[in-house]
Amino acid sequence: MLVKVLKEMGGFRRDDEDDYWFKDYGNDVVLKVASTGYNEMEIELDMPVPTDINSSSLNKPEKLIEAIMNSSLNKGLLSSLLHAINDMIHLKLIINLGN
């Protein structure tokens, strides 16, 4: 199911070496998705962390969004992050609805 969803979302490519799917949003923002079991997945957001953000406090999605909105990011990086976060939420919603 996860593979079908990722293909339908578009832009995701498979990394055969490490067995995960990823999408590059530019500006060093990459979303990685790996299946960890039936209808379960692990999502990793790789992004540059601005110096004014304490990365250890970003353990919840809402904290990440709050930190991004309150930091001094350029428009390109902000756009890349918002697209990645949108896809991340979309994926979680689809998987949760499938369970």
Side-chain angles (χ1 to χ4, degrees):
M1 178 177 153
L2 178 61
V3 173
K4 181 181 175 185
V5 169
L6 293 172
K7 286 181 179 180
E8 287 178 3
M9 287 180 71
F12 280 91
R13 295 177 288 172
R14 183 166 174 76
D15 183 306
D16 292 324
E17 228 175 82
D18 293 323
D19 201 29
Y20 64 83
W21 290 76
F22 69 96
K23 185 173 181 179
D24 188 342
Y25 297 88
N27 297 298
D28 295 324
V29 177
V30 177
L31 189 62
K32 296 178 182 178
V33 181
S35 178
T36 57
Y38 183 74
N39 282 346
E40 294 179 15
M41 66 182 161
E42 180 178 298
I43 300 175
E44 179 182 321
L45 177 60
D46 290 343
M47 60 178 260
V49 179
T51 56
D52 59 339
I53 294 179
N54 178 2
S55 61
S56 65
S57 67
L58 304 179
N59 55 356
K60 295 182 180 179
E62 54 271 8
K63 295 287 186 185
L64 172 64
I65 293 170
E66 181 182 339
I68 289 170
M69 298 310 293
N70 291 327
S71 70
S72 56
L73 300 175
N74 67 49
K75 285 184 182 181
L77 179 55
L78 183 59
S79 176
S80 295
L81 287 170
L82 293 178
H83 286 290
I85 291 169
N86 184 53
D87 280 350
M88 183 172 54
I89 292 169
H90 189 110
L91 279 168
K92 286 190 152 285
L93 180 64
I94 288 172
I95 294 300
N96 285 339
L97 289 175
N99 287 335

